Amino acid sequence: METRDCILQRRAIRKFQENKLPDEVIREIVDCARFAPSWANTKAIRYICIVKEKTKKEVEACCTEHNQGIVSSAPALFVLTAVKGLSGLERGKALPYPSHTPEEWLMVDGGIAAQTLCLAAWDLGVGTVIMGGYDAVQVSQALKLPEDQILVAIIAAGYPDEAPSAPRRKELQDILQILHTVLCVLPCHGQSAAL
């Protein structure tokens, strides 16, 4: 599948066929996801794929009612975690000019990894939905996450049993601003520069 087609055709899938995801498909999805860019290539994101029913039930109990139905029908759950103390830092120290906190950068890295995983899955015919309604502390405890890791995302996955239409999107002109070259004065030097 072409990249553009994958991006435009991917949908959030909340209803799944009963077919299990083969281990080789799970491995291929994560093998692609691990190529997602990360802060200074620190590779802080870790992946857990839950296919065991007992563990899925434990995670399901930590979710909102709406998400419980999704979890119970999904053949697999991808849980993305991030190792603390890697993203947003320079050799373990805070930057002198931080744009975001290290915790925020962990979430940036996690978001990139989550979308990369969803696109890799879609390319293989596997549907996904990134879920938001759950108690992160309870899920972390249920999965016995190490102290040095933080829960980033839970993604339900399986072969789609629905074909949702594309949701409405904002028009390009409503979300894009292209700044063309202008002449301005740099305050620190009083010199003109093209931006």
Side-chain angles (χ1 to χ4, degrees), residues 113-180:
Q115 180 66 357
T116 303
L117 184 142
C118 290
L119 290 172
W122 191 257
D123 187 52
L124 296 171
V126 176
T128 57
V129 63
I130 302 171
M131 298 188 305
Y134 55 85
D135 186 311
V137 173
Q138 288 181 7
V139 174
S140 299
Q141 290 170 347
L143 297 179
K144 298 177 178 58
L145 292 186
E147 286 290 318
D148 69 338
Q149 291 185 33
I150 185 171
L151 179 64
V152 173
I154 299 175
I155 303 172
Y159 294 107
D161 197 25
E162 64 175 343
S165 57
R168 187 180 149 313
R169 302 286 190 220
K170 289 189 179 290
E171 295 298 324
L172 189 59
Q173 67 268 15
D174 295 335
I175 62 168
L176 174 64
Q177 182 181 21
I178 300 175
L179 300 179
H180 292 278

Side-chain angles (χ1 to χ4, degrees), residues 5-54:
D5 293 337
C6 192
I7 292 169
L8 296 180
Q9 294 171 14
R10 189 211 61 80
R11 299 285 177 268
I13 300 297
R14 294 173 176 84
K15 295 179 182 173
F16 304 96
Q17 298 174 25
E18 292 182 6
N19 312 26
K20 298 208 176 292
L21 287 186
D23 287 357
E24 58 270 18
V25 171
I26 293 168
R27 286 190 188 94
E28 189 169 352
I29 290 169
V30 176
D31 192 34
C32 287
R34 71 188 177 97
F35 280 87
S38 63
W39 171 272
N41 198 32
T42 50
K43 302 174 285 294
I45 304 304
R46 301 294 181 265
Y47 304 86
I48 301 167
C49 186
I50 303 170
V51 294
K52 186 177 179 182
E53 284 301 319
K54 180 180 181 293

